[in-house]
Amino acid sequence: MTANNTANVSRFERILAFMLLGLVLLSVGTFVAIIVGTWQGMSSSDFAGGIWPGVVMVPYIGLPLAFVLLITLMITSAVKRSRENQRTTTQR
């Protein structure tokens, strides 16, 4: 267990991770804004004007897209580990 096991994170994986984090935070933030707006007495007709239609649509689009990014990040990480494992096995 004294082998040097440094995990190098590629730029692509880092970008995927930050995009995932940003989408989740944005979606949760807009979801909280909708909850607070409803708690303050806004009705469904109040959400039809201004910037609210965009705010309402962000969780519908952002969370599924974040899920797709998560799956993509997991696949790229698994492929990278598999390639590194094959390289390590062939070097022995």
Side-chain angles (χ1 to χ4, degrees), residues 13 71-83:
E13 289 174 335
I71 298 299
T72 306
L73 184 61
M74 290 173 57
I75 290 171
T76 57
S77 177
V79 167
K80 181 179 174 186
R81 280 188 187 187
S82 174
R83 288 181 183 163

Side-chain angles (χ1 to χ4, degrees), residues 22-67:
L23 276 173
V24 169
L25 289 177
L26 181 67
S27 297
V28 170
T30 56
F31 188 70
V32 168
I34 293 167
I35 290 173
V36 169
T38 304
W39 181 59
Q40 291 294 322
M42 291 179 70
S43 64
S44 60
S45 62
D46 295 330
F47 287 110
I51 196 169
W52 285 105
V55 171
V56 170
M57 288 303 295
V58 168
Y60 287 120
I61 297 168
L63 291 175
L65 187 59
F67 183 72

